[in-house]
Structures are given as structure tokens and as C-alpha cells.
Amino acid sequence: MGGTNRQEWRRTQELLLGAELISGVREFALGGRRSLALDFAGPVGVDHWRTVAERVLRRNAAESAEVKVTPDGVTTAGPRDIAEVEARITGVQRLIGRIARYEARFRADGLLAEGRFVRSVEAWDYGRASAMARFGLGARYCAVQEAEQAVLHASRVARTAYRSPPCCCGGLCWPWSRSRTDSGGAGRCRRRGSRAERPSCLAGAAPG
């Protein structure tokens, strides 16, 4: 991912610091729950979360086929393929179940407090941006000062996105866990998070 020259490294770093390389599907699912939590001022049940996600996906699919007036004129998109819509709904609902299971493990390990949940996986990109800065320095794609500024930038955007180090840790660990097997990678990441609740992407953040 780091690239083979300074230009590629810098472009990747910019994308990571802007949280532009994270999964849009994961952010859709987590963003939907954030909205529900604000509406109901409390925990969101998995069944309700799945139901609302399905409703939004079906509405989006229907709206994509409506007539739209744009500066270029009137355009009409064809209806979305029913099988594609159903597959997307099934995938998101399975994802919601996985999120709930991982969060339960994080709570059991003390990584997430009761009643808390993973708000976003933006921390995954911010953590990788911090690592990318170190890679760039080692590969001589940047100077020490530029690498330091990149790490500080990752810390600032992480503090803006997350209320506390444990919340950031959840957003950082879950995608990492998903890229490994449940029996190995997830456990190692959770143990790391439990031992060090203040990852580099949240350096300087106040406990919350």
C-alpha cells in the first residue's frame, strides 16, 4: 500500500488521513446505528438495526430509479436489479451480526464499556496513516519532520472522530480482527487493546 515512490506514498497518506480507504459498507452500517442511537437516546437492538438498514437500502434502490433534474437535463436511471438489492441487504444484515458479536467480545475483554459501541472504523485508516508515516521515513520518501506531522495529524483527526481512547481502539481493532481468523487475530488485537487503551492515533486524548 505504501507505494514505490514518494508521490504514491504521499497520495496514500492523504487518502488514509481523510479516512477514504475504509469500507463504505461498514460505515453505512455503523452510521445507521449512530443515527438510531441519537433518535432513541439509548442502545439499539440488533433486530431493529437490521430492519432499519433494510428499509434504507430498499428506499435508496427505489430512489435511484426516479426521474432527476440535473444541470444537464432530465435523467432517468433504470431500476436496480432485484437480486443485487437483495444480496446487498443480506450482506449488510450479516455484517450487523458480526459487528454485534465482535463488540460483545470487546466488552468481555474490557475494550468497550457496557452500553458503548463502535461508532466508526475511521480509526483503521488513522492507525494505518500513522504506520504509513513510519514506513515513508524508513523508505526515505519523507523527512523526519514530515513523518512527525503526519502522525500528529492522524492523532488530531482521531480525537475529533472519537470520544475516548477505548472507542478509538474498537474502531481500530475490529477491521484488523476481520482481516484475520477469529481464533487468532481477533484475540491478539483485543489483548493489545486491553493492555494499551491509548493507541498512537489518539495520543494526547483525554480519557472519556
Side-chain angles (χ1 to χ4, degrees):
M1 174 183 282
T4 58
N5 55 57
R6 171 174 168 76
Q7 288 71 31
E8 291 180 2
W9 169 82
R10 189 169 184 177
R11 176 56 180 162
T12 302
Q13 187 75 314
E14 290 172 351
L15 292 172
L16 290 171
L17 289 172
E20 296 182 47
L21 296 182
I22 55 177
S23 166
V25 177
R26 291 173 180 173
E27 281 300 291
F28 166 80
L30 294 171
R33 180 174 58 179
R34 285 199 307 272
S35 297
L36 289 172
L38 290 173
D39 289 343
F40 292 95
V44 179
V46 172
D47 289 341
H48 182 52
W49 184 8
R50 283 175 166 153
T51 298
V52 172
E54 177 181 357
R55 187 185 309 150
V56 171
L57 289 170
R58 292 191 186 281
R59 185 183 67 220
N60 290 348
E63 289 178 351
S64 68
E66 294 178 354
V67 175
K68 294 181 175 62
V69 179
T70 69
D72 298 324
V74 178
T75 60
T76 304
R80 298 284 293 274
D81 181 74
I82 294 177
E84 178 187 346
V85 174
E86 294 299 329
R88 181 166 297 186
I89 290 170
T90 299
V92 168
Q93 290 185 334
R94 286 177 179 170
L95 174 63
I96 288 172
R98 288 199 298 269
I99 293 171
R101 289 194 295 274
Y102 273 97
E103 288 177 334
R105 296 177 188 179
F106 291 162
R107 292 188 188 98
D109 287 348
L111 186 58
L112 278 178
E114 285 299 323
R116 292 293 186 93
F117 53 85
V118 176
R119 298 171 55 83
S120 168
V121 289
E122 287 184 8
W124 179 236
D125 270 9
Y126 302 148
R128 290 194 293 172
S130 180
M132 187 62 63
R134 294 170 173 83
F135 166 80
L137 183 61
R140 298 185 179 180
Y141 292 159
C142 66
V144 173
Q145 184 177 8
E146 187 175 2
E148 289 177 347
Q149 288 303 312
V151 172
L152 291 173
H153 187 171
S155 177
R156 285 194 298 271
V157 292
R159 289 199 302 270
T160 299
Y162 295 92
R163 296 176 178 176
S164 66
C167 289
C168 180
C169 250
L172 181 64
C173 280
W174 177 52
W176 192 94
S177 301
R178 286 289 304 139
S179 66
R180 274 73 174 173
T181 59
D182 283 6
S183 61
R188 287 195 298 272
C189 182
R190 294 197 306 274
R191 286 193 293 272
R192 287 178 182 177
S194 297
R195 288 197 303 267
E197 289 188 340
R198 193 177 298 268
S200 60
C201 66
L202 261 180

